[in-house]
Amino acid sequence: MTLRWFVGLQGRLTLGFALVLALSIASVSVYSAYSTRIETERFTAEIELARSERAQQLVQDTFEVNQDWEEVQYAIQQVGNLYGWRVVLVNKSGTVVADSHKMVRDARGLFETMAERFPKSSRFTKRPVYVNGELIGQLLVDDRPSKNERPLSMSDFYNGAMSRMLEGRNSALAPPPPAQVPSQAAGDLVAEVLQYVEPPLSNLQSSFQRSLIVAGIAAGFAGLLIVTLLTRQALTPVRQLTAAASNLGAGDLSQRVPESGSDDIGRLANTFNTMASELELAVDQRRQLTADVAHELRTPLTNIQGYLEAIKDGVVNADDETIDTLHTQTIHLANLVEDLRILAIADAGALALSKSHGSPVLVIEDSVAHFNQRARERDVSLNFSPSGDETTIDFDETRIRQIVSNLVENALTHTPNGGEIAVRTIGNVHGLTMTVSDTGQGISSADLPRIFDQFYRVDPSRTRATGGAGLGLTIVKRLVEAHGGEISVTSEPGKGATFSVSLPTGDF
C-alpha cells in the first residue's frame, strides 16, 4: 500500500510539493543565516566602536578630573578586565603610562616607550585622547589579545589570602597598593562603564539560527500535511473517475461521476459521463440492431420455410404462384442482407466508390423515371424538374441511383393515393442540391432526430404495411456522406416531408 501511494499521482504530487517546500525553506534558511551573520558582524563592529569610544571618554574624564596617570591606570585596568581587551595609553612623547595587562614601570621605576614594550606589534587600533582640546596621548586597543595574556588583577600586587580577599572586594582587611587606589571620582567613572555589559552577539545569532531551524522543521511538517490534505481533496474526483472507469470496463455501463466545476477535472468528469452515455447508447443500439436483424431475417425465412414444408407435406402445390412467392421472399431476403453488408462496410469506413466526373442530373432523372409506373398505378403525381447551372461533380453512378431510389421509394411508401412527389435538382458553383418532397402524413418532431437510425420506422407497429426494414434512409445517409455530402429533412405532421441532399463539387 505504501509503495502504491508513492508511485501514485497523489504520492508524486505530494513529494513534488514537499521537494519545492524543502528547497524554499532551505533557501530562506541559508539566506536568513547569511543575513544574520552579516548583521551580527556589523552590529558587533558598532558595539566595539561604541565600547572604544566609551573607554576613550572614560580615560579623558578620569584624567581631566584627577590630572593623574595613576587614576587612568586603574580605569584602563578595569576596562581590560571588563571587555577582555588589551588597552594601552601612551602620552604625547610615546611613553606607556597605563597598560591593562602589564605594569607600566619596571623595578627601577622607569617607564617604557611603546616601541620598547611592543617592538614588532601593529595589532592596536589608535584613538587620540583630548583634554580641554589638548592632545594628551593615544589610546591603543587590541580587542583580541593572545590567550597567554591576561589583564592585571590584585594578585599581581599582593600574595595569598590578601589578594583573594581584595579580588573578592573585601577591602576592609587591607588597602590595595597605592598605585591602584582609585579616588571616589575615578571609581564613579568606572562604575559608569560597568553599566554597559552586553551579552555576546554570537549567543543571539546561535539562538536565532536554532529558532529558524525549529520553525523551518515545523513549517515543513505543516506544509507537508497541508499539501497532503489538498492533494487528497483535489484528487478525489480522479479516484472517483478511476473507480467508475474500472466498473465501466467490467460491464456496468450505468457508471457516472459527479461533475464539479468547470476546471480541468470538471471537464474530464463531463467528458467521461458523455463517453459513458454514448457507450451505453451504442451498446443498447447494438442489442437493438441484433434484435432487429433477427426480426427482419426471421420473417422472410419463416415464410420460405412455411411454403417449403407445405409443399413437402403436399398441402400446397409447387405451382407458378407458389414459386413466385418463394422467389419474392428470397429477393427480399437477399436485398436485406445486401443492405446490411453496405451498412457494415460504410460504418467501417471501407465503402469504395467508383467515381466518374460529370453531371448527375441525367442519372437522377433516369432513376426517378423507374418509379413512374408505380406512381401511376396509385394515382400519385411524380415530377422531376432540374434548375440552376449545370454542375459537374465526382460521383458513383450506382450509389447515386441507390440514393435516389431509396428516397423516392420512401416517398411513395408514405404518400397516399392521389398525392404528389416532387424531385428537384439545383446546380450552382458549390455543388448540386437534390430535394425529394411528398404530401404524405409527415414526420413528428419527436421522430425527426432518429429518422436516419438503423431499423427505425415511424410506424411503431412494425407491420409491413409501411414497407421496408427501416434501413433505406440509413443507407442513403451513409452513401451521401461517402460522397462528402450532407442530407437533412424537414417535415410537419400532415404536410409531408422534404429530404434535401447536397453533393459538393471537386474531388473528396
Side-chain angles (χ1 to χ4, degrees), residues 177-383:
Q180 303 297 321
V181 178
S183 66
Q184 183 63 37
D188 292 341
L189 289 172
V190 173
E192 181 180 353
V193 175
L194 292 176
Q195 296 176 2
Y196 298 93
V197 180
E198 301 90 351
L201 286 178
S202 58
N203 294 344
L204 176 62
Q205 181 179 356
S206 300
S207 176
F208 176 77
Q209 289 178 346
R210 285 194 300 269
S211 300
L212 188 63
I213 293 173
V214 173
I217 294 174
F221 279 110
L224 189 60
L225 177 62
I226 293 173
V227 167
T228 302
L229 295 177
L230 290 179
T231 53
R232 182 178 180 84
Q233 180 180 4
L235 294 176
T236 297
V238 177
R239 294 192 182 94
Q240 293 174 345
L241 277 169
T242 302
S246 178
N247 294 333
L248 190 69
D252 184 3
L253 301 180
S254 63
Q255 289 293 314
R256 302 293 186 273
V257 295
E259 299 178 12
S260 56
S262 59
D263 55 0
D264 292 338
I265 299 297
R267 289 194 294 272
L268 179 61
N270 179 265
T271 302
F272 175 84
N273 290 338
T274 301
M275 178 198 68
S277 299
E278 292 178 351
L279 183 60
E280 187 175 20
L281 177 60
V283 171
D284 291 340
Q285 288 177 342
R286 178 179 59 81
R287 291 170 180 169
Q288 185 63 40
L289 175 62
T290 303
D292 289 338
V293 169
H295 175 82
E296 295 297 335
L297 291 177
R298 184 175 63 244
T299 301
L301 286 173
T302 301
N303 292 335
I304 294 173
Q305 181 181 1
Y307 274 102
L308 291 175
E309 289 177 352
I311 293 172
K312 182 179 179 181
D313 294 338
V315 178
V316 176
N317 295 323
D319 52 17
D320 291 340
E321 183 181 356
T322 303
I323 293 175
D324 288 341
T325 302
L326 290 173
H327 183 259
T328 301
Q329 293 295 322
T330 304
I331 291 176
H332 175 69
L333 183 61
N335 290 335
L336 181 58
V337 173
E338 177 63 17
D339 289 344
L340 290 172
R341 186 187 70 85
I342 293 174
L343 284 177
I345 294 174
D347 289 339
L351 184 61
L353 299 179
S354 178
K355 298 177 185 177
S356 60
H357 189 74
S359 174
V361 174
L362 294 178
V363 177
I364 295 173
E365 183 178 7
D366 185 60
S367 299
V368 174
H370 282 82
F371 292 89
N372 286 336
Q373 181 61 33
R374 289 179 56 187
R376 283 194 297 268
E377 291 176 355
R378 294 183 50 201
D379 195 21
V380 173
S381 175
L382 179 58
N383 300 313

Side-chain angles (χ1 to χ4, degrees), residues 55-248:
Q56 176 189 356
Q57 187 64 41
L58 175 62
V59 171
Q60 292 178 182
D61 294 343
T62 302
F63 187 83
E64 184 177 5
V65 169
N66 298 279
Q67 296 294 318
D68 188 356
W69 292 117
E70 301 294 346
E71 299 287 355
V72 175
Q73 170 61 34
Y74 174 75
I76 292 295
Q77 181 177 329
Q78 296 306 312
V79 169
N81 278 279
L82 178 62
Y83 294 145
W85 292 348
R86 178 71 181 271
V87 185
V88 178
L89 180 65
V90 297
N91 58 17
K92 293 188 293 183
S93 61
T95 302
V96 176
V97 294
D99 190 342
S100 61
H101 284 57
K102 188 178 180 181
M103 298 294 184
V104 296
R105 301 182 188 181
D106 57 14
R108 295 171 295 174
L110 300 178
F111 290 94
E112 294 179 315
T113 63
M114 189 66 183
E116 292 172 342
R117 178 160 290 203
F118 305 100
K120 297 182 180 180
S121 177
S122 58
R123 62 186 184 178
F124 293 95
T125 59
K126 299 180 180 180
R127 302 187 66 86
V129 180
Y130 294 91
V131 174
N132 296 326
E134 180 182 355
L135 179 66
I136 63 171
Q138 296 280 345
L139 182 67
L140 289 83
V141 177
D142 177 15
D143 56 2
R144 290 182 177 81
S146 65
K147 295 181 180 180
N148 297 327
E149 297 178 343
R150 62 176 183 82
L152 294 174
S153 62
M154 291 303 175
S155 62
D156 295 311
F157 303 96
Y158 297 95
N159 294 322
M162 182 66 68
S163 66
R164 288 193 296 271
M165 283 187 291
L166 290 177
E167 287 180 351
R169 295 184 181 179
N170 190 0
S171 56
L173 297 177
Q180 303 297 321
V181 178
S183 66
Q184 183 63 37
D188 292 341
L189 289 172
V190 173
E192 181 180 353
V193 175
L194 292 176
Q195 296 176 2
Y196 298 93
V197 180
E198 301 90 351
L201 286 178
S202 58
N203 294 344
L204 176 62
Q205 181 179 356
S206 300
S207 176
F208 176 77
Q209 289 178 346
R210 285 194 300 269
S211 300
L212 188 63
I213 293 173
V214 173
I217 294 174
F221 279 110
L224 189 60
L225 177 62
I226 293 173
V227 167
T228 302
L229 295 177
L230 290 179
T231 53
R232 182 178 180 84
Q233 180 180 4
L235 294 176
T236 297
V238 177
R239 294 192 182 94
Q240 293 174 345
L241 277 169
T242 302
S246 178
N247 294 333
L248 190 69

Side-chain angles (χ1 to χ4, degrees), residues 348-482:
L351 184 61
L353 299 179
S354 178
K355 298 177 185 177
S356 60
H357 189 74
S359 174
V361 174
L362 294 178
V363 177
I364 295 173
E365 183 178 7
D366 185 60
S367 299
V368 174
H370 282 82
F371 292 89
N372 286 336
Q373 181 61 33
R374 289 179 56 187
R376 283 194 297 268
E377 291 176 355
R378 294 183 50 201
D379 195 21
V380 173
S381 175
L382 179 58
N383 300 313
F384 173 75
S385 57
S387 63
D389 301 331
E390 182 177 356
T391 305
T392 59
I393 64 173
D394 294 328
F395 67 98
D396 185 325
E397 180 178 341
T398 302
R399 299 308 182 186
I400 292 296
R401 288 183 182 276
Q402 195 171 4
I403 292 172
V404 176
S405 298
N406 284 353
L407 290 177
V408 175
E409 178 74 33
N410 180 75
L412 277 171
T413 302
H414 296 89
T415 301
N417 295 341
E420 295 181 2
I421 298 175
V423 180
R424 299 181 180 87
T425 59
I426 304 173
N428 53 49
V429 295
H430 301 292
L432 182 73
T433 300
M434 180 186 69
T435 61
V436 179
S437 303
D438 62 64
T439 57
Q441 70 268 30
I443 307 170
S444 66
S445 58
D447 292 322
L448 278 176
R450 299 191 58 193
I451 198 66
F452 296 106
D453 290 352
Q454 297 177 5
F455 295 103
Y456 184 77
R457 290 184 293 188
V458 176
D459 181 8
S461 65
R462 298 190 61 85
T463 65
R464 308 204 63 79
T466 55
L471 295 176
L473 293 179
T474 306
I475 293 175
V476 168
K477 186 174 187 297
R478 298 292 192 277
L479 295 178
V480 170
E481 290 175 347

